[in-house]
Amino acid sequence: MKPIEEYVRSIPDFPEPGIIFRDVTSVLQDADGLRLAIDLMQEKLEGVEFDVVAGPESRGFIFGVPIAYNLNKPFIPIRKKGKLPCETASVTYELEYGTAEIEIHRDAIKKGQKVVIIDDLIATGGTNEAIIKLIEGLGGEVVKCVFLMELAGLEGRGRLRGYDVDSVIVYPGK
């Protein structure tokens, strides 16, 4: 099996000149790449005590659900506003060009539960910071954040200072 980095397609000058887009779909489209990505992310949880896995749509679902299944833990979806049918808690956060809002069911996290966040990418850290606010607002404790890829040049870890953040692949640029 190839190293995980070889499954990630890098597309230069997308979405603008000077940016290298790291395409996770090439990992998903290869059975070995998908298995390796999930296995390597799951390895980052060895020795971590937690109760639930949470992940944002859509790629947090893709990687979080199999990890939750493998470890016999529940999965909590974090969704865009208006997608969850029951009473929700929400957080609005800043994007590069505007704002976004995410939600979680109010009954999804029990007070004192230890939560792991799984997602495909940490860039600026804004989405992950918002997810942490949602979880903590419901009384949960975020014990680890695991990402397949990290764009270190965007300094997302800085927004998550004080949390245990781990990435399978770290790219130095943006």
Side-chain angles (χ1 to χ4, degrees):
M1 195 175 297
K2 306 183 291 193
I4 189 64
E5 294 83 356
E6 291 185 26
Y7 291 96
V8 178
R9 180 173 37 203
S10 296
I11 303 166
D13 299 321
F14 183 83
E16 58 188 54
I19 302 293
I20 300 174
F21 185 82
R22 307 300 180 172
D23 185 14
V24 74
T25 62
S26 55
V27 175
L28 302 176
Q29 293 169 351
D30 187 290
D32 289 338
L34 178 59
R35 178 177 301 280
L36 183 59
I38 291 167
D39 289 349
L40 291 171
M41 293 174 80
Q42 186 171 308
E43 283 176 15
K44 302 287 186 186
L45 297 174
E46 288 178 7
V48 177
E49 289 189 32
F50 64 98
D51 302 304
V52 299
V53 174
E57 65 176 281
S58 65
R59 291 174 302 269
F61 293 10
I62 292 168
F63 294 108
V65 168
I67 291 170
Y69 176 84
N70 289 342
L71 298 176
N72 196 33
K73 303 289 185 182
F75 179 81
I76 308 299
I78 311 293
R79 303 283 321 258
K80 294 174 186 165
K81 183 170 178 56
K83 301 290 184 177
L84 292 171
C86 297
E87 186 181 353
T88 61
S90 66
V91 171
T92 300
Y93 62 101
E94 297 294 320
L95 297 171
E96 189 174 354
Y97 302 106
T99 61
E101 190 171 355
I102 54 173
E103 296 180 322
I104 187 172
H105 278 143
R106 284 202 173 274
D107 63 357
I109 303 289
K110 311 297 184 272
K111 187 173 174 68
Q113 279 189 315
K114 294 179 191 290
V115 182
V116 167
I117 299 170
I118 301 288
D119 203 1
D120 71 319
L121 176 72
I122 179 170
T124 65
T127 302
N128 307 291
E129 183 180 48
I131 292 168
I132 290 169
K133 286 180 184 175
L134 278 176
I135 291 167
E136 290 178 345
L138 294 174
E141 176 190 356
V142 175
V143 295
K144 183 120 182 167
C145 301
V146 177
F147 304 95
L148 177 61
M149 299 181 290
E150 177 176 350
L151 304 179
L154 294 175
E155 303 177 357
R157 278 181 187 258
R159 290 180 90 161
L160 306 183
R161 194 167 281 116
Y163 294 93
D164 185 358
V165 176
D166 214 340
S167 302
V168 173
I169 305 167
V170 179
Y171 294 104
K174 298 178 181 183

